[in-house]
Amino acid sequence: MQPTPISWPKLAEALAGRIAGGRPPGPWWRVAVDGAPAARPADLADAVAAALPALGRPVLRVSADGFWRPASLRLEYGHEDVDAYYQLWLDTGALRREVLDPLGPGGTGRALPSLRDPATDRSTRADYVELPPGGVLLLDGPLLLGQGLPLDLTVHLRLSPAALARRTPPDERWTLPAYDRYAREALPEEAADILVRADDPAHPAWTG
């Protein structure tokens, strides 16, 4: 499918409308915006989250880095280990247990917005949130697809290798091989329900 040019505000509006106008597979929508930090998936997730309440959908915003494993485990093989970044940083078990499963079929609706502060490596001591039926979880983060996470709608922000390298800060460029591996193994462009090409930060295009 040929991507269609769209502005970021219109994209957020269109995604919010699609979610609000559809019927979730379970009592809640579990939506992920997947992309490298350079693609700014949190910005899109925030914009969609801001639009949904006016459409009658309460929202819970969660960022994947709030569910990173402790630094003692993440950095066991060094501060710049690509395989650890790709496979070990995200605590998928905790994310499922505390967020995705409670918002799935048969769940309680009681979810934890965050587990650990990625900057301090300490517990956030966040309170559980009751998301009413019909509400929407909006999760953002990198490398989310291909991990068996139970998600109802997935959006992948795609950057070409050149754009990714250009927009990744120098101190984070050691992560670039992980995204190359992700593209080859998880095939996010094919796995995602919606693909957004974001090489030009001012002019995205999408397959919605």
Side-chain angles (χ1 to χ4, degrees):
M1 182 182 297
Q2 185 67 26
T4 303
I6 192 171
S7 69
W8 288 110
K10 289 292 185 182
L11 175 58
E13 180 183 323
L15 288 172
R18 174 168 174 172
I19 294 165
R23 176 174 293 183
W28 301 272
W29 276 105
R30 297 170 296 181
V31 180
V33 181
D34 170 72
R40 305 180 69 91
D43 288 357
L44 179 58
D46 285 343
V48 176
L52 281 168
L55 301 176
R57 296 284 187 177
V59 175
L60 172 63
R61 271 288 284 119
V62 173
S63 290
D65 62 9
F67 286 85
W68 281 354
R69 288 186 169 88
S72 60
L73 298 177
R74 294 198 319 271
L75 308 179
E76 180 180 1
Y77 302 101
H79 285 255
E80 297 184 359
D81 187 276
V82 173
D83 290 336
Y85 178 72
Y86 182 71
Q87 295 177 304
L88 299 178
W89 279 38
L90 180 63
D91 190 340
T92 55
L95 185 60
R96 290 191 62 142
R97 181 180 66 251
E98 301 291 357
V99 183
L100 297 173
D101 289 345
L103 299 178
T108 63
R110 185 172 182 266
L112 190 66
S114 63
L115 184 63
R116 180 171 279 96
D117 186 317
T120 65
D121 197 40
R122 296 177 179 175
S123 170
T124 60
R125 301 186 182 276
D127 293 327
Y128 283 88
V129 174
E130 297 278 352
L131 188 64
V136 181
L137 162 71
L138 271 165
L139 169 69
D140 77 272
L143 310 173
L144 294 177
L145 305 181
Q147 302 211 51
L149 297 175
L151 298 163
D152 303 314
L153 183 68
T154 55
V155 181
H156 174 62
L157 304 186
R158 192 263 184 187
L159 292 175
S160 68
L164 178 60
R166 185 171 62 250
R167 291 166 58 182
T168 298
D171 62 343
E172 296 178 11
R173 286 181 184 159
W174 65 270
T175 65
L176 294 177
Y179 292 104
D180 178 64
R181 179 179 171 186
Y182 183 57
R184 288 183 284 104
E185 295 184 0
L187 302 175
E189 294 186 44
E190 300 175 22
D193 298 304
I194 296 171
L195 173 65
V196 179
R197 295 189 181 276
D199 282 6
D200 184 338
H203 301 97
W206 75 318
T207 60

